[in-house]
Amino acid sequence: MELNVTQNEIDLFTSTLWKDVRKLVVGKNGNDELTFRRYSDKIISIAKELPFLEFLKQQNPSWQIPKILNHTADYIEFKYLDGIRLFNFIIELRYLYFIENSQKALDIIERIKIILTKQLVDFQRITRPWCDKIELHYPFYERCFVPIQIISGILSYKIDEGEINADIKAITEIVSANSNSLFRDAAAKNAILHLPELYYSNFKYDDAERRILIRSLVDKNYFTDELLNEKIYQFDFTGCVYLCPQIDDLIAINLHESMVWASSSKTFYESNLDDTIFLATMFLRFLRFGGRKLAYRLLHKEGHKIRFRYDYEKFYFVKLVDVIERLQQKKIVKGTALIAVMKQFQEATYIIPNKDYFDPTGEKSQICYIDTPQINYEQ
């Protein structure tokens, strides 16, 4: 399908949604150690991130952080962790539950959520003094409007900008006024389960073969609380230059599409549905979750295949309709244009573009994951 892609959409995508703008490189250092380098970007400099990581280490947190081996003005070099991204492990658990009715898989996801929630609460506790140092204000309004602007432009879908701007402003003012915690971005994609036996390259990047091993370990009750607490490592604290509502990261843990099959996620959702801050924050978080994935689908076809191969972005736009309707009932959202946009975006999740508009040659994006083949860097 041919889409209406102009340089404007590509530029907006590059500056606001493209995740590979943050350079990540895996290689060996002078001591022949396998390491992971994360380079500075426009959001946070190494000079700002390094003191924060040192601060976290000094607080003796209840979670694991990859060891810092080296740093320069351009990058921080971490010890490489072979294993499986926690998100991918949860996807395998979900498969075992829905396809094979594994109650043990359901038990493990519930225990993982308890661990992640405890770690987040601990993070919010120990970083409370750091909040006073925050000088940057998260651009809530821009982060909501830009995905709508990009996707609507690609789809040639005319939006009522005046009405949408007013309603987004009303929602984001609530979020901004209640931002009192550091933005951790506590989704499972920002954690590693450091178990070398589950490292992808051991299976020649074969999902089915790795699933067989995970099924076997689940059935043998291998994933104890002690092991999970010891082997879950948290990484990517680059968002901690911003403040957000305390419930924002709880939404990430409970309501990311990969997590909602857990019974506790349903309880969390239903128990907060009447809370205005929750609804406003969920609108922001879900529009970012769904908007980025749909923009990737439409603009960066090959990147979407790799980065979001296990994601289902329609989920977020369906939920957003319900959230907006509840905000209408509270007289926060006054118009109907936002709902119309979300329904249009639901349909767009079925589009399969004819080409990759963002990276037609495949040279622009060097996609690198902690759970992928190793890429050597120059010494």
Side-chain angles (χ1 to χ4, degrees), residues 1-42:
M1 178 180 179
E2 289 293 332
L3 301 171
N4 179 39
V5 178
T6 69
Q7 192 61 43
N8 181 57
E9 282 80 33
I10 291 175
D11 290 344
L12 283 172
F13 175 81
T14 303
S15 62
T16 63
L17 296 176
W18 185 41
K19 294 186 75 67
D20 294 304
V21 70
R22 184 178 300 157
K23 185 179 176 184
L24 307 173
V25 183
V26 176
K28 287 189 175 182
N29 62 15
N31 297 323
D32 205 35
E33 299 171 300
L34 198 58
T35 68
F36 178 73
R37 287 182 180 178
R38 197 196 66 73
Y39 285 77
S40 181
D41 55 31
K42 296 178 181 178

Side-chain angles (χ1 to χ4, degrees), residues 13 27 162 255 257 297 336:
F13 175 81
L255 301 181
E257 183 257 332
R297 171 181 289 279
T336 59

Side-chain angles (χ1 to χ4, degrees), residues 50-64:
L50 196 63
F52 180 71
L53 292 173
E54 291 296 331
F55 167 78
L56 288 181
K57 182 179 178 182
Q58 292 168 7
Q59 303 306 309
N60 191 27
S62 60
W63 68 89
Q64 304 279 4

Side-chain angles (χ1 to χ4, degrees), residues 291-309:
R292 169 174 274 134
K293 294 168 179 58
L294 181 54
Y296 259 81
R297 171 181 289 279
L298 300 177
L299 271 178
H300 192 9
K301 179 179 180 180
E302 296 306 313
H304 185 277
K305 285 181 184 178
I306 297 173
R307 188 174 283 281
F308 301 121
R309 60 184 296 199

Side-chain angles (χ1 to χ4, degrees), residues 185-249:
D185 200 3
K189 288 192 176 186
N190 288 330
I192 289 287
L193 185 58
H194 181 32
L195 294 174
E197 58 266 41
L198 298 182
Y199 186 46
Y200 209 12
S201 65
N202 296 341
F203 308 95
K204 298 180 180 178
Y205 317 108
D206 185 330
D207 290 338
E209 189 175 341
R210 184 162 69 171
R211 183 172 296 139
I212 291 171
L213 176 58
I214 291 175
R215 178 195 294 122
S216 172
L217 295 175
V218 167
D219 288 343
K220 292 176 182 177
N221 301 315
Y222 178 74
F223 299 103
T224 63
D225 285 351
E226 182 180 8
L227 179 138
L228 292 171
N229 270 300
E230 180 184 346
K231 297 298 183 178
I232 291 178
Y233 280 72
Q234 300 282 351
F235 66 94
D236 193 357
F237 294 88
T238 54
C240 295
V241 293
Y242 298 119
L243 295 178
C244 68
Q246 191 170 14
I247 202 165
D248 181 74
D249 277 310

